[in-house]
Amino acid sequence: MKKELINRHKKFFTWCLKLYNKCNIKNKMVLRKNKYKIGCSILKSTHIDVYHKNNKIIIADFCKLINCNIKIYGSNNVIKIEDNCYLKDVEFYIEDDFNEIIIGEHTSIYGKTHLAAIESTKIEIGKDCIFSNDIHFRTGDSHSIIDETEKRINKSKNIIIGNHVWIGTRVTCLKGTEIKDNSIVAAASLVCKKYIDSNVIIAGHPAKIIKDNINWKRERIRID
């Protein structure tokens, strides 16, 4: 009922929330003439700090960001948060140019999570995902690994998470990670490769598939 009311008067509510987000002293937005678009969404204790030029931050409708930080050090980068996302204690960190961090609609991140993209890479998180807390995503190593000729060998790579994926507490996803739809990553796992199967449980350090033909629901079903 509440969402139907907001939809009927969306322009009004968007204007009110824009004013609230801007005037709330606990929010901080330093964009330096970069582009941003915030729809009918609410920001609480959220800091946005963007350097250089031609960066875009898009936060769609019915999102809630609590105690989040967005830091961009580069140009032509994109952060996009789709409709109906709930994000708490999330840090977006982008370094260099032409990176993307995309979070699909109806995704919830419930605790301390660090999403770092560097060197023209992408972090893409699908729709209807759940992230627990103390989670780290990194598309690169930040520093250089070199061979005997001093050629750098540690290339940064994308991280792609499918739709309806559950990421447990204290999970680390490193460059090149790819997880398919309807999967679960167990607590304290280290994930650093592509998994070609959907509907699996991934666990371990490093992580491997331990169970297939599964799915999950947000609701806790009673076990008789």
Side-chain angles (χ1 to χ4, degrees):
M1 186 67 181
K2 184 188 291 187
K3 191 169 285 189
E4 291 176 5
L5 176 64
I6 293 172
N7 274 322
R8 285 201 301 268
H9 306 282
K10 192 173 174 183
K11 286 185 178 180
F12 171 74
F13 282 104
T14 300
W15 181 85
C16 291
L17 287 171
K18 183 177 181 180
L19 185 63
Y20 170 84
N21 293 332
K22 188 173 183 179
C23 295
N24 187 338
I25 60 172
K26 292 185 177 181
N27 290 330
K28 178 184 175 184
M29 299 184 192
V30 183
L31 290 145
R32 299 177 180 85
K33 298 183 180 180
N34 288 275
K35 295 179 180 179
Y36 76 101
K37 181 180 180 181
I38 301 174
C40 191
S41 293
I42 188 167
L43 278 59
K44 292 185 176 181
S45 300
T46 290
H47 293 181
I48 300 174
D49 201 357
V50 183
Y51 294 82
H52 302 294
K53 60 183 180 180
N54 297 327
N55 297 290
K56 294 181 182 179
I57 297 172
I58 302 165
I59 302 171
D61 295 327
F62 307 114
C63 295
K64 191 171 186 179
L65 276 66
I66 302 172
N67 197 35
C68 293
N69 284 285
I70 296 174
K71 297 179 181 179
I72 300 177
Y73 300 96
S75 300
N76 301 295
N77 298 288
V78 176
I79 292 175
K80 184 178 181 182
I81 302 167
E82 296 182 352
D83 292 344
N84 295 286
C85 287
Y86 175 86
L87 309 180
K88 183 179 180 183
D89 297 322
V90 180
E91 182 176 37
F92 298 82
Y93 181 87
I94 286 180
E95 191 176 310
D96 310 312
D97 305 330
F98 297 102
N99 299 279
E100 292 182 271
I101 300 178
I102 300 170
I103 298 181
E105 62 186 35
H106 293 281
T107 286
S108 305
I109 301 179
Y110 288 107
K112 186 178 178 182
T113 295
H114 180 74
L115 306 173
I118 65 172
E119 294 189 312
S120 305
T121 56
K122 177 193 294 188
I123 296 175
E124 185 172 351
I125 297 165
K127 301 176 182 178
D128 192 32
C129 293
I130 285 182
F131 284 36
S132 183
N133 56 60
D134 200 10
I135 293 165
H136 291 78
F137 278 37
R138 300 179 65 86
T139 64
D141 302 322
S142 294
H143 306 293
S144 299
I145 299 174
I146 58 176
D147 62 17
E148 66 276 6
T149 66
E150 296 196 358
K151 179 182 177 182
R152 187 180 153 208
I153 58 175
N154 59 331
K155 182 180 179 181
S156 298
K157 298 177 183 177
N158 297 336
I159 296 175
I160 308 295
I161 307 298
N163 298 320
H164 193 62
V165 173
W166 176 5
I167 306 286
T169 186
R170 293 184 289 115
V171 165
T172 298
C173 285
L174 299 180
K175 59 184 184 180
T177 292
E178 188 169 330
I179 299 169
K180 300 297 184 181
D181 298 349
N182 306 316
S183 294
I184 300 169
V185 181
S189 295
L190 173 63
V191 190
C192 50
K193 67 176 186 179
K194 294 182 179 180
Y195 300 86
I196 61 173
D197 297 324
S198 59
N199 297 84
V200 296
I201 298 177
I202 300 165
H205 205 278
K208 62 181 180 180
I209 294 174
I210 62 169
K211 192 172 182 61
D212 57 11
N213 297 316
I214 63 92
N215 208 328
W216 61 274
K217 291 186 176 182
R218 289 176 181 256
E219 302 81 12
R220 188 173 1 176
I221 300 172
R222 179 177 176 180
I223 300 176
D224 296 325

